[in-house]
Amino acid sequence: MTTATQAALMAVEEKADIPLKRVEMLSYLVLLSFGLAGWFLFSPLAGISVLVGGFVVVLSFQWLKRDAVRLARNPSKREKIKFMFKCLGRLVVLGLLFYYLVRYQQLHIPGFLVGLATVQIGIVLATISKVKKLLS
């Protein structure tokens, strides 16, 4: 690959970056709107369940982002192993938290699952807006 081609690819990659702050902001907006919709369209329990699921997944996303930034600053083998163990630990903690919330707390399960999808929806919305900007 020529240096001109590499430079062109790097320029496209820089334009294609999706800022994580935008993903977080969109996730909070989706969470708030879905929580209010669940509250008013179904029940207060559904709205609270959406908010609980959404806050859990947003906090997990922020935790992952912090660890990924730390890994990007120091990509040594030790940091990679540490990152993998932290990811595994985060999954275990989330699994136990989900088990506790579903088993012992009164939650509206469909609302809780909708809340868990808010970060993914935020990522999709941020990607769609970035693609629209790149194509126009």
Side-chain angles (χ1 to χ4, degrees):
M1 195 178 311
T2 65
T3 55
T5 308
Q6 288 175 339
L9 284 174
M10 288 176 63
V12 169
E13 285 177 4
E14 285 178 12
K15 289 181 183 178
D17 281 346
I18 298 171
L20 294 179
K21 289 283 186 194
R22 183 170 177 82
V23 170
E24 286 180 41
M25 187 176 71
L26 286 170
S27 297
Y28 282 124
L29 289 172
V30 168
L31 176 59
L32 181 63
S33 61
F34 282 7
L36 289 172
W39 183 286
F40 290 116
L41 295 177
F42 297 103
S43 70
L45 180 62
I48 290 170
S49 298
V50 170
L51 293 176
V52 168
F55 282 127
V56 167
V57 78
V58 167
L59 290 176
S60 175
F61 178 73
Q62 289 175 344
W63 189 9
L64 176 64
K65 181 183 83 168
R66 184 195 62 186
D67 291 342
V69 166
R70 192 173 293 149
L71 176 64
R73 288 186 183 143
N74 182 12
S76 67
K77 187 173 183 174
R78 182 175 181 203
E79 282 297 319
K80 290 177 185 176
I81 292 170
K82 203 165 137 180
F83 177 79
M84 301 253 291
F85 276 112
K86 283 184 175 183
C87 285
L88 181 61
R90 182 175 30 262
L91 288 175
V92 168
V93 168
L94 285 173
L96 291 172
L97 180 64
F98 291 164
Y99 175 77
Y100 174 79
L101 288 171
V102 170
R103 177 76 172 105
Y104 297 109
Q105 298 297 315
Q106 184 181 6
L107 284 176
H108 185 260
I109 301 300
F112 182 71
L113 294 174
V114 168
L116 293 178
T118 55
V119 170
Q120 289 84 358
I121 294 169
I123 291 169
V124 168
L125 292 175
T127 304
I128 289 170
S129 71
K130 191 64 173 188
V131 167
K132 281 184 178 179
K133 286 180 185 177
L134 288 173
L135 293 177
S136 61

